[in-house]
């Protein structure tokens, strides 16, 4: 009698139902974060939002991780390939369109916050690879104090993160 090794079962990728759920969960939970951020940054609350609540935007990170993991993919492009395979379904088309709309709203919110911040501060025109002048002032978001870059340069170790965009 011939003995054949057992073949490993093929792992089937997520089906349409799993894809729809993942897309809907991402868009829905993302909108909750976006709506809270909009409310927290409205009107006079912008500086408070930037200094104390901007971290809530990082809530999108675990949402995208969950989204990718639920689809058993590593990268956004892999998720896009998956939804392209199911794009014949109008339900998938609707959920993908909803996600695209949410991401446009997210980017628009960030652009609006950036534009509103620019009206409140000195704008230095820097380009990639240029040195930041030591006399340039920044706002320490934790203390809300104005500090000059050169005040930090005497420290033995320094990790400086300059944020212009929040995405």
């Amino acid at each position: 009698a011939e003995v054949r090794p057992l073949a490993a079962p093929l792992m089937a990728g997520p089906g349409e139902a799993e894809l729809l759920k993942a897309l809907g969960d991402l868009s829905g939970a993302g909108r909750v974060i976006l709506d809270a951020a909009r409310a927290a940054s409205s009107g006079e609350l912008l500086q408070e939002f930037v200094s104390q609540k901007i971290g809530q935007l990082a809530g999108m990170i675990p949402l995208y991780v969950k989204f990718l993991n639920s689809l058993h993919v590593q990268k956004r492009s892999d998720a896009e390939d998956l939804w392209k395979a199911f794009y014949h379904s109008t339900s998938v088309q609707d959920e993908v369109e909803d996600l695209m709309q949410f991401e446009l709203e997210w980017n628009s919110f960030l652009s609006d916050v950036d534009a509103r911040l620019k009206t409140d501060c000195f704008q230095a025109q820097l380009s990639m690879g240029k040195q930041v002048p030591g006399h340039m002032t920044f706002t320490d978001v934790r203390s809300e104090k104005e500090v000059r870059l050169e005040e930090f340069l005497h420290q033995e170790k320094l990790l400086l993160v300059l944020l212009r965009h929040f995405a």
Side-chain angles (χ1 to χ4, degrees):
E2 182 179 326
V3 177
R4 293 185 178 171
L6 293 174
L10 292 175
M11 291 293 293
E16 183 176 336
E18 292 86 2
L19 176 60
L20 289 170
K21 180 174 178 2
L23 287 164
D25 288 353
L26 178 59
S27 296
R31 278 205 169 79
V32 170
I33 292 172
L34 180 58
D35 290 344
R38 282 180 175 149
S41 67
S42 65
E44 307 258 331
L45 302 174
L46 180 62
Q47 291 300 329
E48 179 183 335
F49 172 75
V50 171
S51 67
Q52 298 173 17
K53 299 178 182 176
I54 199 157
Q56 66 187 203
L57 298 179
M60 286 305 300
I61 296 168
L63 292 180
Y64 273 97
V65 169
K66 181 180 176 186
F67 170 72
L68 295 173
N69 286 340
S70 70
L71 297 178
H72 308 289
V73 297
Q74 298 292 316
K75 303 179 295 194
R76 163 103 179 193
S77 60
D78 296 336
E80 291 172 356
D81 290 343
L82 183 61
W83 75 54
K84 285 176 188 172
F86 288 98
Y87 210 72
H88 60 275
S89 163
T90 55
S91 296
V92 171
Q93 292 173 22
D94 291 345
E95 288 295 337
V96 169
E97 183 61 34
D98 189 51
L99 177 61
M100 296 292 115
Q101 181 60 40
F102 160 70
E103 289 178 340
L104 283 173
E105 291 171 24
W106 180 268
N107 291 339
S108 176
F109 168 73
L110 295 177
S111 294
D112 178 61
V113 167
D114 190 42
R116 289 168 53 206
L117 287 172
K118 283 181 184 177
T119 63
D120 294 342
C121 66
F122 164 76
Q123 279 296 297
Q125 296 300 317
L126 298 175
S127 59
M128 186 74 76
K130 266 195 149 175
Q131 275 193 314
V132 178
H135 65 275
M136 188 171 189
T137 59
F138 298 92
T139 302
D140 182 327
V141 295
R142 292 202 173 113
S143 68
E144 296 186 16
K145 292 180 183 174
E146 292 293 314
V147 294
R148 290 170 32 149
L149 179 60
E150 59 197 13
E151 294 174 35
F152 294 104
L153 297 179
H154 68 277
Q155 297 178 11
E156 186 175 316
K157 294 181 182 179
L158 173 68
L159 174 61
L160 182 64
V161 179
L162 303 175
L163 298 176
R164 184 180 181 290
H165 294 286
F166 305 113

